[in-house]
Amino acid sequence: MSYLDSYTPQSGTSEVRVTHYDLDLDYDILPNTLRARAVLDARVLEDCSALSLDLEGLTVERVLVNGQPSSFKQAKTKLVVDARERFSVDEALTLEIHYGGTPTPASGAWGDIGWEELSDGVLVAGQPVGADTWFPCNDHPSQKATFRVTVLVDSDYTAISNGELVSVDSRGPRTAWTWESREPVATYLATVQMGQYRRGSVEPGSYPPARVPLTLACGEHLWSQAQHVLAKQHAMMSVFEQRFGAYPFGYYGVVVTDDELEIPLESQPLSIFGPNHMTESWESERLIAHEMAHQWFGNSLTPASWSDIWLNEGFAHYAEWVWSEASGRRSAHEEALSAHAELSGSKQKVVIGDPGPKKMFDDRVYVRGALTLNALRMAVGDQTFFTILQRWTGQNRCSNVTTTDFLALASKVSGRPVEPLLHDWLFEKKLPALPETS
Ligand SMILES: [Zn+2]
């Protein structure tokens, strides 16, 4: 068995490729108990006598391989499924796993991640390796798959997952919510959000409506405040479509939990905020822009390995500056000037092109990532810069990407090698000087 990513060696496997997850979750809110069945469509990648999936904190009762009961073992974070004889390379498998228990977040280097109880509901914060706290998976961003998730829960709760809502089946006191994502989803973005939520559209208010439907789910008591604060998403969506290219999914949804959240979370095609983010402040506004931008950078275009995390966070941070500029606040370059001044005063210990697992979510990856894009924009000019971003999102829609891919595309579009220009920003610790304005 070999791992997929040196940043997360405990997660993921190269033995099998899962192409589709069909999850049937029967959940009781108050005791926090889950009874579940996962059906995985998979293909064997290596000849082996057993294959492993990520799963932690839950107990597997039964495994069927192509309909036949199979023996299995569970270790702390792994479910190991035995072959009858051998699994052969290229063999197609259907793995049916019956499991359950009391899901809890996994704690580790990145805090508590995964399935988390709220005071009245559930959220999932899967990044980077928390998906295995609620379903058996190959937990790595390169292992995107389609999903169908059914959640059976008490009828006064709303259950939200990835993609489109395909059915709401009321069975008296219990209701089954089925969601389907035809676009592939990285496991860290797979989600379930539950609460006593009202669902509906975000009204544009005085903004011209976005091309893409915008939805909201939150408690009734937060509804009008959230509507008020999120109306500007209509303008944001139009600006981002113009600058970054077509929005990659069918709609964009926001969930506002009852509980305050330290940071918002990205999912696909959703973002999750706390009521503390539903304010008029620039701090809230920039986070709302940041999370929306992740639909392009992170969700549609997902890093092939965690060392390329700046492709998510640097781009989403730069989107905050793009929105600031477009909405008549400070220009992106003014934002870059003050970010650079601030960064100059802190220790330059992070190489953003390979920050290491402990510094993956360091602020400097975000800010210096945005400064890297600012340096590119200064060098190639606005028109070429946004053409690069549009080609980047267009050519790589719903797939995996690397920093090398980005540098190659930027060089091709701009007609000049950009690696020498961006090398020190990405791969050296010392902070380069900000480029001069022409
Ligand atoms: Zn982010």
Side-chain angles (χ1 to χ4, degrees):
M1 187 179 78
S2 51
Y3 58 76
L4 292 174
D5 199 314
S6 63
Y7 280 37
T8 55
Q10 74 284 17
S11 300
T13 171
S14 56
E15 296 155 352
V16 68
R17 181 85 175 91
V18 180
T19 53
H20 180 74
Y21 292 91
D22 194 323
L23 309 178
D24 227 317
L25 313 176
D26 178 346
Y27 184 66
D28 283 319
I29 294 260
L30 252 189
N32 182 31
T33 49
L34 178 68
R35 287 168 300 281
R37 186 196 63 170
V39 180
L40 280 53
D41 296 339
R43 188 164 289 276
V44 177
L45 298 181
E46 294 169 8
D47 289 330
C48 51
S49 57
L51 51 84
S52 66
L53 294 164
D54 300 303
L55 184 69
E56 62 181 307
L58 297 166
T59 306
V60 174
E61 286 140 21
R62 206 150 54 95
V63 176
L64 295 108
V65 178
N66 297 334
Q68 298 297 315
S70 175
S71 61
F72 61 91
K73 293 180 272 306
Q74 272 194 276
K76 190 173 177 285
T77 63
K78 294 287 178 190
L79 164 65
V80 180
V81 178
D82 299 319
R84 241 156 217 263
E85 287 164 17
R86 281 190 80 71
F87 293 121
S88 313
V89 77
D90 260 352
E91 189 182 344
L93 297 178
T94 303
L95 300 163
E96 183 176 328
I97 299 150
H98 296 254
Y99 64 103
T102 303
T104 48
S107 32
W110 303 283
D112 285 351
I113 49 172
W115 183 284
E116 205 171 311
E117 278 183 280
L118 296 167
S119 5
D120 186 22
V122 165
L123 70 68
V124 168
Q127 196 178 28
V129 284
D132 71 348
T133 61
W134 64 284
F135 67 100
C137 54
N138 191 355
D139 199 3
H140 188 260
S142 64
Q143 303 296 308
K144 291 184 173 202
T146 53
F147 277 77
R148 188 171 201 276
V149 180
T150 297
V151 185
L152 180 66
V153 68
D154 285 351
S155 293
D156 37 0
Y157 289 83
T158 299
I160 295 165
S161 186
N162 306 91
E164 306 286 333
L165 178 64
V166 292
S167 70
V168 183
D169 179 11
S170 187
R171 304 171 192 167
R174 309 272 287 164
T175 298
W177 300 75
T178 299
W179 295 81
E180 198 167 80
S181 191
R182 288 182 202 94
E183 286 100 358
V185 180
T187 44
Y188 80 89
L189 296 166
T191 199
V192 172
Q193 304 292 326
M194 275 183 259
Q196 301 202 32
Y197 298 147
R198 171 179 172 185
R199 296 175 57 250
S201 301
V202 175
E203 300 301 331
S206 56
Y207 298 98
R211 184 189 64 84
V212 177
L214 303 179
T215 69
L216 170 65
C218 67
E220 188 64 53
H221 59 292
L222 296 170
W223 187 259
S224 62
Q225 177 64 12
Q227 284 285 352
H228 178 65
V229 168
L230 296 173
K232 63 176 81 76
Q233 287 189 140
H234 282 274
M236 239 172 230
M237 179 61 82
S238 304
V239 165
F240 287 173
E241 285 211 292
Q242 225 172 41
R243 308 289 199 280
F244 306 150
Y247 179 75
F249 307 112
Y251 74 99
Y252 175 59
V254 162
V255 177
V256 183
T257 58
D258 286 355
D259 298 25
E260 296 206 344
L261 302 182
E262 200 181 322
I263 46 164
L265 308 165
E266 71 256 32
S267 180
Q268 180 181 313
L270 302 167
S271 296
I272 297 93
F273 294 92
N276 50 313
H277 302 122
M278 293 296 111
T279 73
E280 290 291 341
S281 67
W282 169 246
E283 183 59 17
S284 294
E285 191 167 333
R286 74 167 190 90
L287 291 172
I288 290 166
H290 180 109
E291 297 309 321
M292 182 187 279
H294 271 312
Q295 300 302 326
W296 286 264
F297 308 113
N299 302 4
S300 172
L301 278 66
T302 308
S305 62
W306 285 118
S307 57
D308 285 332
I309 185 72
W310 86 280
L311 295 173
N312 286 13
E313 300 305 347
F315 282 63
H317 197 79
Y318 192 74
E320 299 171 23
W321 300 354
V322 167
W323 171 245
S324 170
E325 183 168 85
S327 60
R329 246 183 120 263
R330 294 202 293 186
S331 73
H333 192 65
E334 284 166 334
E335 288 283 354
L337 282 170
S338 78
H340 190 273
E342 203 171 312
L343 215 51
S344 305
S346 75
K347 286 189 177 153
Q348 307 308 317
K349 283 191 169 165
V350 185
V351 173
I352 65 163
D354 188 7
K358 287 201 192 98
K359 296 217 169 82
M360 252 166 89
F361 301 110
D362 189 292
D363 268 358
R364 286 164 290 190
V365 173
Y366 293 54
V367 176
R368 189 164 163 166
L371 285 169
T372 304
L373 291 173
N374 178 71
L376 178 61
R377 182 173 171 181
M378 300 294 289
V380 302
D382 282 11
Q383 201 182 340
T384 304
F385 175 71
F386 287 111
T387 304
I388 291 169
L389 295 193
Q390 288 157 21
R391 296 253 178 98
W392 178 238
T393 65
Q395 290 177 9
N396 298 297
R397 184 179 170 266
C398 293
S399 59
N400 286 107
V401 287
T402 66
T403 300
T404 312
D405 296 339
F406 180 70
L407 296 176
L409 179 80
S411 301
K412 192 173 158 204
V413 175
S414 66
R416 59 184 281 188
V418 303
E419 206 278 339
L421 183 75
L422 300 185
H423 179 89
D424 290 4
W425 287 99
L426 290 169
F427 303 114
E428 297 293 339
K429 283 186 181 168
K430 189 169 174 289
L431 184 67
L434 208 60
E436 300 288 325
T437 39
S438 50

